[in-house]
Amino acid sequence: PKAEPLKVEKGTITFENVSFKYSPQNSIFKNKNIIIKAGEKVGLVGFSGSGKTTFVHLILRYHDIHGGRILIDGQDISNVTLESLRSNISLIPQDPSLFHRSIWENIRYGKPNASPEEIIGAAKRAHAEEFILKMPEKFQSLVGERGVKLSGGQKQRIAIARAILKDAPILILDEATSALDSVTEKAIQDALQELMTGKTSIVIAHRLSTLSGMDRILVFDHGAIVEEGTHDELLSLGGHYARLWEMQAGGFLPDTLDGEEESEEEY
């Protein structure tokens, strides 16, 4: 009742003594304090279940916290409308949701009143136009239920085009390039770098090399941020992040340490 619309002028995100648990036995965060500055590019790393996905889900208010406050530009997100909160955030997930409609409509979902020029421009910047124009119906091609007629990389490019079109001040990338081959990923990384310019950006990645250009990396372990700094600073510490870097297989971080059970946190 009486929720106000969120007004984002800068995009500063603040966690003030935030506590959250999925169950009495499964406490994830306890009195967490963190500030992500306006326009800052922040990477999140850690094993599965360490709290990375929960961190961004709390910003999107998929769950309500049990203590403390989450603020965006000084406004408590529990007191603003969900529509205004989520309209100010672009999310590119690992497995994007597509509707059984045309590619055109799926891209336009990011901005329903977008002009044709804006939709085509977003597709170009996401490097999606190149495969769209090869399809029989081009932009009017139907993608199938949940996008089954497209490859993982093609679906991801549609999701990226959506985010480019939406142009929200806060951007969250959750394994956004994991489904792409290395050549396509390089092209899309360039598009994502452009998209992140001037936006508060939070990037979850298991391929740690994709975080080397972040302003700051937060290293999660069992709900705590155990280290933070740039890629080079964290490597020089020789701590948890350096260990993760050494453990990568084929460029990707394993889900867990050998013999360590996964938490239920990310499910």
Side-chain angles (χ1 to χ4, degrees):
K2 299 182 181 179
E4 295 288 333
L6 176 68
K7 296 180 176 64
V8 180
E9 295 180 356
K10 295 181 178 179
T12 299
I13 301 170
T14 306
F15 277 54
E16 283 186 357
N17 296 312
V18 170
S19 296
F20 175 75
K21 59 181 70 174
Y22 285 105
S23 66
Q25 298 78 28
N26 191 11
S27 179
I28 305 300
F29 299 137
K30 187 174 182 181
N31 300 322
K32 179 177 290 295
N33 290 284
I34 192 76
I35 297 174
I36 297 176
K37 294 177 285 190
E40 190 176 21
K41 294 183 291 190
V42 175
L44 310 184
V45 302
F47 292 120
S48 293
S50 60
K52 309 180 302 296
T53 298
T54 297
F55 185 82
V56 298
H57 281 183
L58 294 181
I59 296 171
L60 287 157
R61 209 177 154 206
Y62 288 169
H63 313 284
D64 280 323
I65 58 178
H66 299 114
R69 300 191 302 166
I70 298 174
L71 310 171
I72 296 179
D73 283 351
Q75 300 155 84
D76 188 333
I77 66 170
S78 68
N79 296 328
V80 303
T81 64
L82 282 176
E83 182 182 9
S84 67
L85 171 66
R86 294 174 185 166
S87 68
N88 279 288
I89 300 173
S90 288
L91 171 66
I92 304 178
Q94 183 174 8
D95 184 21
S97 296
L98 299 187
F99 304 103
H100 184 31
R101 305 296 288 257
S102 69
I103 289 174
W104 185 269
E105 290 171 297
N106 270 286
I107 295 175
R108 191 175 64 180
Y109 183 69
K111 184 181 177 183
N113 62 347
S115 69
E117 292 77 17
E118 288 177 307
I119 294 170
I120 293 170
K124 284 181 179 178
R125 289 175 58 194
H127 296 266
E129 190 188 44
E130 53 204 52
F131 81 80
I132 293 171
L133 295 181
K134 293 177 183 176
M135 301 182 76
E137 302 295 326
K138 298 182 172 56
F139 277 93
Q140 297 310 314
S141 301
L142 296 177
V143 304
E145 196 67 41
R146 297 180 62 84
V148 295
K149 295 183 179 181
L150 301 179
S151 70
Q154 289 170 339
K155 287 195 291 184
Q156 206 67 312
R157 281 181 271 183
I158 297 298
I160 291 168
R162 237 185 223 170
I164 289 170
L165 190 64
K166 185 175 181 179
D167 198 28
I170 297 171
L171 178 65
I172 296 174
L173 308 178
D174 188 354
E175 295 288 347
T177 60
S178 62
L180 306 177
D181 61 82
S182 57
V183 174
T184 305
E185 186 194 23
K186 175 62 174 71
I188 290 181
Q189 283 290 356
D190 293 341
L192 290 175
Q193 287 298 326
E194 182 185 346
L195 178 60
M196 285 190 276
T197 302
K199 294 177 171 55
T200 304
S201 304
I202 301 173
V203 182
I204 298 175
H206 279 109
R207 188 182 291 164
L208 301 188
S209 59
T210 62
L211 299 177
S212 58
M214 296 290 107
D215 298 320
R216 186 162 46 127
I217 297 171
L218 306 181
V219 184
F220 283 74
D221 186 37
H222 294 93
I225 296 173
V226 294
E227 293 173 350
E228 62 178 282
T230 65
H231 171 76
D232 291 338
E233 288 170 347
L234 291 172
L235 282 182
S236 68
L237 285 176
H240 195 74
Y241 182 82
R243 184 179 175 208
L244 296 179
W245 181 261
E246 291 170 1
M247 288 181 64
Q248 292 182 110
F252 289 91
L253 189 64
D255 285 339
T256 60
L257 282 170
D258 289 339
E260 190 173 290
E261 293 294 324
E262 280 193 34
S263 156
E264 297 177 354
E265 175 270 315
E266 292 195 338
Y267 302 96

